[in-house]
Amino acid sequence: MADEERPAQQAEDLTVFVQNLLNQMQTRFQQMSDAILGRIDEMGNRIDELEQSISELMEDAAIEEQRSPMEGGRKF
C-alpha cells in the first residue's frame, strides 16, 4: 500500500513545485514589467524636460536675434 501512495505523493509534490515555480515566475515578470514601465515614465519625463529646455533656448535665441540688429544699429 505504501508503494501505491508513493506515485500519488510524487505527483502531488510535482504539482506543488510547478505551481510555486509558476507563481515565482509570475511575480518576477510583474516586477520586471513594473521596472520597465517606471523607466519608460522616467524617460518620458526627461523628454518633456528636454523639449521644454529646447523651447526656452529657441525663445532666448529669437529674443537675442531681435536685440542684435537694434544693438548693431546703435553702435554705428
Coordinates of all heavy atoms in Angstrom, one line a residue:
M1 N 0.8 -1.2 0.0 CA 0.0 0.0 0.0 C 0.9 1.3 0.0 O 0.5 2.2 -0.6 CB -0.9 0.0 1.2 CG -1.9 1.1 1.2 SD -3.3 0.5 2.0 CE -4.3 1.9 1.9
A2 N 2.0 1.2 0.6 CA 2.9 2.4 0.7 C 3.4 2.7 -0.7 O 3.6 3.8 -1.1 CB 4.1 2.1 1.6
D3 N 3.6 1.6 -1.5 CA 4.1 1.8 -2.9 C 3.1 2.5 -3.8 O 3.4 3.2 -4.7 CB 4.5 0.4 -3.5 CG 5.8 -0.1 -2.9 OD1 6.6 0.7 -2.3 OD2 6.1 -1.3 -3.0
E4 N 1.8 2.2 -3.5 CA 0.7 2.8 -4.2 C 0.6 4.3 -3.9 O 0.2 5.1 -4.8 CB -0.6 2.1 -4.0 CG -0.7 0.6 -4.5 CD -1.9 -0.1 -4.0 OE1 -2.8 0.5 -3.4 OE2 -2.0 -1.3 -4.3
E5 N 0.9 4.7 -2.7 CA 0.8 6.1 -2.3 C 1.9 6.9 -2.8 O 1.8 8.1 -3.0 CB 0.7 6.2 -0.8 CG -0.6 5.6 -0.2 CD -0.7 5.6 1.3 OE1 0.3 6.2 1.9 OE2 -1.6 5.1 1.9
R6 N 3.0 6.2 -3.0 CA 4.3 6.9 -3.4 C 4.1 7.7 -4.7 O 4.4 8.9 -4.8 CB 5.4 6.0 -3.5 CG 6.7 6.6 -3.7 CD 7.8 5.6 -3.7 NE 8.9 6.2 -2.9 CZ 10.0 5.5 -2.5 NH1 10.1 4.3 -2.9 NH2 10.9 6.1 -1.8
P7 N 3.6 7.1 -5.8 CA 3.4 7.9 -7.1 C 2.4 9.0 -6.9 O 2.6 10.1 -7.5 CB 2.9 6.8 -8.1 CG 3.4 5.5 -7.6 CD 3.4 5.7 -6.1
A8 N 1.4 8.8 -6.2 CA 0.4 9.9 -6.0 C 1.0 11.0 -5.2 O 0.8 12.2 -5.5 CB -0.8 9.3 -5.2
Q9 N 1.9 10.7 -4.2 CA 2.5 11.8 -3.4 C 3.6 12.5 -4.3 O 3.7 13.7 -4.3 CB 3.3 11.1 -2.2 CG 3.9 12.2 -1.3 CD 3.0 13.1 -0.7 OE1 1.9 12.8 -0.3 NE2 3.4 14.4 -0.6
Q10 N 4.3 11.7 -5.2 CA 5.2 12.4 -6.1 C 4.5 13.3 -7.1 O 5.0 14.4 -7.3 CB 6.0 11.3 -6.8 CG 7.0 10.6 -5.9 CD 7.8 9.5 -6.7 OE1 7.3 9.0 -7.8 NE2 8.9 9.0 -6.1
A11 N 3.4 12.9 -7.6 CA 2.6 13.7 -8.5 C 2.1 15.0 -7.8 O 2.2 16.1 -8.4 CB 1.5 12.9 -9.1
E12 N 1.7 14.8 -6.5 CA 1.2 16.0 -5.8 C 2.4 16.9 -5.5 O 2.3 18.1 -5.6 CB 0.6 15.5 -4.5 CG 0.0 16.6 -3.7 CD -0.7 16.1 -2.4 OE1 -1.3 15.0 -2.4 OE2 -0.6 16.9 -1.4
D13 N 3.5 16.3 -5.1 CA 4.7 17.2 -4.9 C 5.2 17.9 -6.1 O 5.5 19.1 -6.0 CB 5.9 16.3 -4.3 CG 5.7 15.8 -2.9 OD1 4.7 16.3 -2.3 OD2 6.4 14.8 -2.5
L14 N 5.1 17.2 -7.2 CA 5.5 17.8 -8.5 C 4.5 19.0 -8.9 O 4.9 20.0 -9.3 CB 5.5 16.8 -9.6 CG 5.9 17.3 -11.0 CD1 7.3 17.9 -10.9 CD2 5.9 16.2 -12.0
T15 N 3.2 18.7 -8.6 CA 2.2 19.8 -8.9 C 2.5 21.0 -8.0 O 2.4 22.1 -8.5 CB 0.8 19.2 -8.6 OG1 0.6 18.1 -9.5 CG2 -0.3 20.3 -8.9
V16 N 2.7 20.8 -6.7 CA 3.0 21.9 -5.8 C 4.3 22.6 -6.3 O 4.3 23.9 -6.3 CB 3.1 21.4 -4.4 CG1 3.7 22.5 -3.5 CG2 1.8 20.9 -3.9
F17 N 5.3 21.9 -6.7 CA 6.6 22.5 -7.1 C 6.3 23.4 -8.3 O 6.8 24.5 -8.4 CB 7.6 21.4 -7.4 CG 8.8 21.9 -8.0 CD1 9.8 22.6 -7.2 CD2 9.1 21.8 -9.4 CE1 11.0 23.1 -7.8 CE2 10.2 22.3 -9.9 CZ 11.2 22.9 -9.2
V18 N 5.6 22.8 -9.3 CA 5.3 23.6 -10.6 C 4.5 24.8 -10.3 O 4.8 25.9 -10.8 CB 4.7 22.6 -11.6 CG1 4.2 23.5 -12.8 CG2 5.6 21.6 -12.1
Q19 N 3.5 24.7 -9.4 CA 2.7 25.9 -9.1 C 3.5 26.9 -8.4 O 3.4 28.1 -8.7 CB 1.5 25.4 -8.1 CG 0.4 24.7 -8.9 CD -0.7 24.2 -7.9 OE1 -0.5 24.1 -6.7 NE2 -1.8 23.9 -8.5
N20 N 4.4 26.5 -7.5 CA 5.3 27.5 -6.8 C 6.2 28.2 -7.8 O 6.4 29.4 -7.8 CB 6.1 26.8 -5.7 CG 5.2 26.5 -4.5 OD1 4.2 27.2 -4.2 ND2 5.7 25.5 -3.7
L21 N 6.7 27.4 -8.7 CA 7.6 27.9 -9.7 C 6.9 28.9 -10.6 O 7.4 30.0 -10.9 CB 8.2 26.8 -10.6 CG 9.3 27.1 -11.6 CD1 10.5 27.8 -11.0 CD2 9.7 25.9 -12.4
L22 N 5.7 28.6 -11.0 CA 4.9 29.5 -11.9 C 4.6 30.8 -11.1 O 4.6 31.8 -11.7 CB 3.7 28.8 -12.4 CG 3.9 27.7 -13.4 CD1 2.5 27.0 -13.7 CD2 4.5 28.2 -14.7
N23 N 4.3 30.6 -9.9 CA 4.0 31.8 -9.1 C 5.2 32.7 -8.9 O 5.1 34.0 -9.0 CB 3.5 31.5 -7.7 CG 2.0 30.9 -7.7 OD1 1.3 31.3 -8.6 ND2 1.7 30.1 -6.7
Q24 N 6.4 32.1 -8.7 CA 7.6 32.9 -8.7 C 7.9 33.6 -10.0 O 8.3 34.7 -10.0 CB 8.8 32.0 -8.3 CG 8.7 31.5 -6.8 CD 9.8 30.4 -6.6 OE1 10.6 30.1 -7.4 NE2 9.8 29.9 -5.3
M25 N 7.7 32.8 -11.1 CA 7.9 33.4 -12.4 C 7.0 34.6 -12.7 O 7.4 35.6 -13.2 CB 7.8 32.4 -13.5 CG 8.9 31.4 -13.5 SD 8.6 30.0 -14.7 CE 8.5 30.9 -16.2
Q26 N 5.7 34.4 -12.3 CA 4.7 35.5 -12.5 C 5.1 36.7 -11.6 O 5.0 37.8 -12.1 CB 3.3 35.0 -12.1 CG 2.3 36.1 -12.3 CD 0.9 35.5 -11.9 OE1 0.7 34.4 -11.4 NE2 -0.2 36.3 -12.2
T27 N 5.5 36.5 -10.4 CA 6.0 37.6 -9.6 C 7.2 38.3 -10.2 O 7.2 39.6 -10.2 CB 6.3 37.1 -8.1 OG1 5.2 36.5 -7.6 CG2 6.8 38.2 -7.3
R28 N 8.1 37.6 -10.7 CA 9.3 38.1 -11.3 C 9.0 38.9 -12.5 O 9.5 40.0 -12.7 CB 10.4 37.0 -11.6 CG 11.6 37.5 -12.1 CD 12.4 38.4 -11.1 NE 13.6 38.8 -11.8 CZ 14.1 40.0 -11.6 NH1 13.6 40.9 -10.8 NH2 15.2 40.4 -12.2
F29 N 8.1 38.4 -13.4 CA 7.7 39.1 -14.6 C 7.0 40.4 -14.2 O 7.2 41.4 -14.9 CB 6.9 38.2 -15.5 CG 7.7 37.2 -16.3 CD1 7.4 35.9 -16.3 CD2 8.7 37.6 -17.1 CE1 8.1 34.9 -17.0 CE2 9.5 36.7 -17.8 CZ 9.2 35.4 -17.8
Q30 N 6.2 40.3 -13.2 CA 5.4 41.5 -12.8 C 6.4 42.6 -12.3 O 6.3 43.8 -12.6 CB 4.4 41.2 -11.7 CG 3.5 42.4 -11.3 CD 2.7 42.9 -12.5 OE1 2.1 42.1 -13.2 NE2 2.7 44.2 -12.7
Q31 N 7.4 42.2 -11.5 CA 8.4 43.1 -11.1 C 9.2 43.7 -12.2 O 9.5 44.9 -12.3 CB 9.4 42.4 -10.1 CG 8.8 42.0 -8.8 CD 9.8 41.2 -8.0 OE1 10.7 40.6 -8.5 NE2 9.5 41.0 -6.7
M32 N 9.6 42.9 -13.2 CA 10.3 43.4 -14.4 C 9.4 44.3 -15.2 O 9.9 45.4 -15.6 CB 10.7 42.2 -15.3 CG 11.8 41.4 -14.6 SD 12.2 39.9 -15.6 CE 12.6 40.5 -17.2
S33 N 8.1 44.0 -15.3 CA 7.2 44.9 -16.1 C 7.1 46.2 -15.4 O 7.1 47.3 -16.0 CB 5.8 44.2 -16.1 OG 4.9 45.0 -16.7
D34 N 6.9 46.2 -14.0 CA 6.8 47.4 -13.3 C 8.1 48.3 -13.4 O 8.0 49.5 -13.6 CB 6.6 47.1 -11.8 CG 5.2 46.5 -11.5 OD1 4.3 46.6 -12.4 OD2 5.0 46.0 -10.4
A35 N 9.2 47.6 -13.4 CA 10.5 48.3 -13.5 C 10.6 49.0 -14.9 O 11.0 50.1 -15.1 CB 11.7 47.4 -13.3
I36 N 10.2 48.2 -15.9 CA 10.3 48.8 -17.3 C 9.3 49.9 -17.5 O 9.7 51.0 -18.1 CB 10.0 47.6 -18.3 CG1 11.1 46.6 -18.4 CG2 9.7 48.2 -19.7 CD1 10.8 45.4 -19.1
L37 N 8.1 49.8 -17.0 CA 7.1 50.9 -17.1 C 7.6 52.1 -16.3 O 7.5 53.3 -16.8 CB 5.8 50.5 -16.6 CG 5.0 49.4 -17.5 CD1 3.7 49.0 -16.8 CD2 4.8 50.0 -18.8
G38 N 8.3 51.9 -15.2 CA 8.8 53.0 -14.4 C 9.9 53.7 -15.2 O 10.0 55.0 -15.2
R39 N 10.8 53.0 -15.8 CA 11.8 53.6 -16.6 C 11.3 54.3 -17.9 O 11.8 55.4 -18.2 CB 12.8 52.5 -17.1 CG 13.6 52.0 -15.9 CD 14.6 50.9 -16.4 NE 15.4 50.4 -15.2 CZ 16.1 49.3 -15.3 NH1 16.2 48.6 -16.4 NH2 16.7 48.9 -14.2
I40 N 10.2 53.8 -18.4 CA 9.6 54.4 -19.6 C 9.0 55.8 -19.1 O 9.1 56.8 -19.8 CB 8.5 53.5 -20.3 CG1 9.2 52.4 -21.0 CG2 7.6 54.3 -21.2 CD1 8.3 51.3 -21.5
D41 N 8.3 55.8 -18.0 CA 7.7 57.0 -17.4 C 8.8 58.0 -17.2 O 8.7 59.2 -17.5 CB 6.9 56.7 -16.2 CG 5.6 56.0 -16.4 OD1 5.2 56.0 -17.6 OD2 5.1 55.5 -15.5
E42 N 9.9 57.6 -16.6 CA 11.0 58.5 -16.3 C 11.6 59.0 -17.6 O 11.9 60.2 -17.7 CB 12.1 57.7 -15.5 CG 13.3 58.5 -15.1 CD 14.4 57.7 -14.4 OE1 14.0 56.7 -13.7 OE2 15.5 58.1 -14.4
M43 N 11.8 58.2 -18.6 CA 12.3 58.6 -19.9 C 11.3 59.7 -20.5 O 11.8 60.7 -21.1 CB 12.5 57.5 -20.8 CG 13.2 57.8 -22.1 SD 13.4 56.4 -23.2 CE 14.3 55.3 -22.2
G44 N 10.0 59.4 -20.4 CA 9.0 60.4 -20.9 C 9.2 61.7 -20.2 O 9.1 62.8 -20.8
N45 N 9.4 61.7 -18.9 CA 9.5 63.0 -18.1 C 10.8 63.7 -18.6 O 10.8 64.9 -18.7 CB 9.6 62.7 -16.6 CG 8.3 62.2 -16.1 OD1 7.2 62.5 -16.6 ND2 8.3 61.5 -15.0
R46 N 11.9 62.9 -18.8 CA 13.1 63.5 -19.3 C 13.0 64.2 -20.6 O 13.5 65.2 -20.9 CB 14.2 62.5 -19.3 CG 14.7 62.1 -17.9 CD 15.8 61.1 -18.0 NE 16.6 61.0 -16.8 CZ 17.6 60.2 -16.6 NH1 18.1 59.5 -17.6 NH2 18.2 60.2 -15.4
I47 N 12.2 63.5 -21.5 CA 12.0 64.0 -22.8 C 11.2 65.3 -22.8 O 11.5 66.3 -23.5 CB 11.3 63.0 -23.7 CG1 12.3 61.8 -24.1 CG2 10.7 63.6 -25.0 CD1 11.7 60.6 -24.8
D48 N 10.2 65.3 -21.9 CA 9.4 66.5 -21.7 C 10.2 67.7 -21.2 O 10.1 68.8 -21.7 CB 8.2 66.3 -20.7 CG 7.2 65.4 -21.3 OD1 7.1 65.2 -22.5 OD2 6.4 64.8 -20.4
E49 N 11.1 67.4 -20.3 CA 12.0 68.4 -19.7 C 13.0 68.9 -20.8 O 13.3 70.1 -21.0 CB 12.8 67.9 -18.6 CG 12.0 67.7 -17.3 CD 12.8 67.0 -16.2 OE1 14.0 66.7 -16.4 OE2 12.2 66.7 -15.2
L50 N 13.5 68.0 -21.7 CA 14.3 68.3 -22.8 C 13.6 69.2 -23.8 O 14.2 70.2 -24.2 CB 14.9 67.1 -23.4 CG 15.9 67.3 -24.6 CD1 17.1 68.0 -24.1 CD2 16.3 65.9 -25.2
E51 N 12.4 68.9 -24.1 CA 11.6 69.7 -25.0 C 11.4 71.1 -24.5 O 11.5 72.1 -25.2 CB 10.3 69.0 -25.3 CG 10.4 67.8 -26.2 CD 9.0 67.1 -26.4 OE1 8.1 67.3 -25.6 OE2 8.9 66.3 -27.3
Q52 N 11.1 71.2 -23.2 CA 10.9 72.5 -22.6 C 12.2 73.3 -22.6 O 12.2 74.5 -22.9 CB 10.5 72.3 -21.1 CG 10.2 73.6 -20.4 CD 9.1 74.4 -21.0 OE1 8.1 73.8 -21.5 NE2 9.2 75.7 -21.0
S53 N 13.3 72.7 -22.3 CA 14.6 73.4 -22.4 C 14.9 73.8 -23.8 O 15.4 75.0 -24.0 CB 15.7 72.4 -21.9 OG 15.6 72.1 -20.6
I54 N 14.6 73.0 -24.8 CA 14.9 73.4 -26.2 C 14.0 74.6 -26.6 O 14.4 75.5 -27.2 CB 14.6 72.2 -27.1 CG1 15.8 71.2 -26.9 CG2 14.6 72.7 -28.6 CD1 15.5 69.9 -27.7
S55 N 12.7 74.5 -26.1 CA 11.8 75.6 -26.4 C 12.3 76.9 -25.8 O 12.3 78.0 -26.4 CB 10.4 75.3 -25.9 OG 9.8 74.3 -26.6
E56 N 12.8 76.8 -24.5 CA 13.3 78.0 -23.9 C 14.5 78.6 -24.6 O 14.7 79.8 -24.7 CB 13.6 77.7 -22.4 CG 12.4 77.5 -21.6 CD 12.7 76.9 -20.2 OE1 13.9 76.8 -19.8 OE2 11.8 76.7 -19.4
L57 N 15.4 77.7 -25.0 CA 16.6 78.1 -25.8 C 16.2 78.8 -27.1 O 16.8 79.8 -27.5 CB 17.5 76.9 -26.0 CG 18.3 76.4 -24.8 CD1 19.0 75.1 -25.1 CD2 19.3 77.4 -24.3
M58 N 15.2 78.2 -27.8 CA 14.8 78.8 -29.0 C 14.2 80.2 -28.8 O 14.4 81.1 -29.6 CB 13.8 77.9 -29.7 CG 14.4 76.6 -30.2 SD 13.3 75.4 -30.9 CE 12.7 76.3 -32.4
E59 N 13.4 80.3 -27.7 CA 12.8 81.6 -27.4 C 14.0 82.6 -27.1 O 13.9 83.8 -27.5 CB 11.9 81.5 -26.2 CG 10.6 80.8 -26.6 CD 9.7 80.5 -25.3 OE1 10.0 81.1 -24.2 OE2 8.7 79.8 -25.5
D60 N 14.9 82.2 -26.3 CA 16.1 83.1 -26.0 C 16.8 83.5 -27.2 O 17.2 84.6 -27.3 CB 17.0 82.4 -25.0 CG 16.4 82.2 -23.6 OD1 15.4 82.9 -23.3 OD2 17.0 81.4 -22.8
A61 N 17.0 82.5 -28.1 CA 17.7 82.8 -29.3 C 17.0 83.8 -30.2 O 17.5 84.7 -30.8 CB 18.0 81.5 -30.1
A62 N 15.6 83.7 -30.2 CA 14.8 84.6 -31.0 C 14.9 86.0 -30.4 O 14.9 87.0 -31.1 CB 13.4 84.1 -31.1
I63 N 14.9 86.1 -29.1 CA 14.9 87.4 -28.4 C 16.3 88.0 -28.7 O 16.4 89.2 -29.0 CB 14.7 87.2 -26.9 CG1 13.2 86.8 -26.6 CG2 15.1 88.5 -26.2 CD1 13.0 86.5 -25.2
E64 N 17.4 87.2 -28.7 CA 18.7 87.7 -28.9 C 18.8 88.2 -30.4 O 19.5 89.2 -30.7 CB 19.8 86.7 -28.6 CG 19.9 86.5 -27.1 CD 21.0 85.6 -26.7 OE1 21.9 85.2 -27.6 OE2 21.1 85.1 -25.6
E65 N 18.2 87.5 -31.3 CA 18.2 87.9 -32.7 C 17.5 89.2 -32.9 O 18.0 90.1 -33.7 CB 17.5 86.8 -33.6 CG 18.4 85.8 -34.2 CD 17.6 84.9 -35.1 OE1 16.7 85.3 -35.8 OE2 18.0 83.7 -35.2
Q66 N 16.4 89.4 -32.2 CA 15.7 90.7 -32.3 C 16.5 91.8 -31.7 O 16.5 92.9 -32.2 CB 14.3 90.6 -31.6 CG 13.4 89.7 -32.3 CD 12.1 89.5 -31.5 OE1 12.0 90.0 -30.4 NE2 11.1 88.8 -32.1
R67 N 17.3 91.5 -30.6 CA 18.1 92.6 -30.0 C 19.3 92.9 -30.8 O 19.7 94.0 -30.8 CB 18.5 92.1 -28.6 CG 17.4 92.1 -27.6 CD 18.0 91.7 -26.2 NE 16.9 91.5 -25.3 CZ 17.1 90.9 -24.1 NH1 18.3 90.5 -23.7 NH2 16.1 90.8 -23.3
S68 N 19.9 91.9 -31.4 CA 21.2 92.1 -32.1 C 21.1 93.2 -33.2 O 21.9 94.1 -33.3 CB 21.7 90.8 -32.7 OG 22.0 89.9 -31.7
P69 N 20.1 93.2 -34.1 CA 20.0 94.2 -35.1 C 19.9 95.6 -34.5 O 20.4 96.6 -34.9 CB 18.8 93.9 -35.9 CG 18.6 92.4 -35.7 CD 19.1 92.1 -34.3
M70 N 19.1 95.7 -33.4 CA 18.9 97.0 -32.8 C 20.2 97.5 -32.1 O 20.6 98.6 -32.3 CB 17.8 96.9 -31.7 CG 16.4 96.8 -32.2 SD 15.3 96.9 -30.9 CE 14.4 95.4 -31.0
E71 N 20.9 96.6 -31.5 CA 22.1 96.9 -30.8 C 23.2 97.3 -31.9 O 24.0 98.2 -31.7 CB 22.6 95.8 -29.9 CG 21.8 95.6 -28.7 CD 22.2 94.4 -27.9 OE1 23.1 93.8 -28.2 OE2 21.5 94.2 -26.9
G72 N 23.1 96.5 -33.0 CA 24.1 96.8 -34.0 C 23.8 98.2 -34.6 O 24.8 98.9 -35.0
G73 N 22.6 98.6 -34.8 CA 22.2 99.9 -35.3 C 22.7 101.0 -34.3 O 23.0 102.1 -34.8
R74 N 22.7 100.7 -33.1 CA 23.0 101.7 -32.1 C 24.5 102.0 -32.1 O 25.0 103.1 -31.8 CB 22.6 101.3 -30.7 CG 21.1 101.3 -30.5 CD 20.8 100.9 -29.1 NE 19.3 100.8 -29.0 CZ 18.7 100.1 -28.0 NH1 19.4 99.5 -27.1 NH2 17.4 100.0 -28.0
K75 N 25.3 101.0 -32.4 CA 26.7 101.1 -32.4 C 27.3 102.0 -33.5 O 28.3 102.6 -33.4 CB 27.4 99.7 -32.5 CG 27.2 98.9 -31.3 CD 27.9 97.5 -31.5 CE 27.7 96.6 -30.3 NZ 28.2 95.3 -30.4
F76 N 26.6 102.0 -34.6 CA 27.0 102.8 -35.8 C 26.9 104.2 -35.5 O 26.3 105.1 -35.2 CB 26.3 102.4 -37.1 CG 26.8 101.1 -37.5 CD1 25.9 100.0 -37.6 CD2 28.1 100.8 -37.9 CE1 26.3 98.8 -38.1 CE2 28.5 99.6 -38.4 CZ 27.6 98.6 -38.5

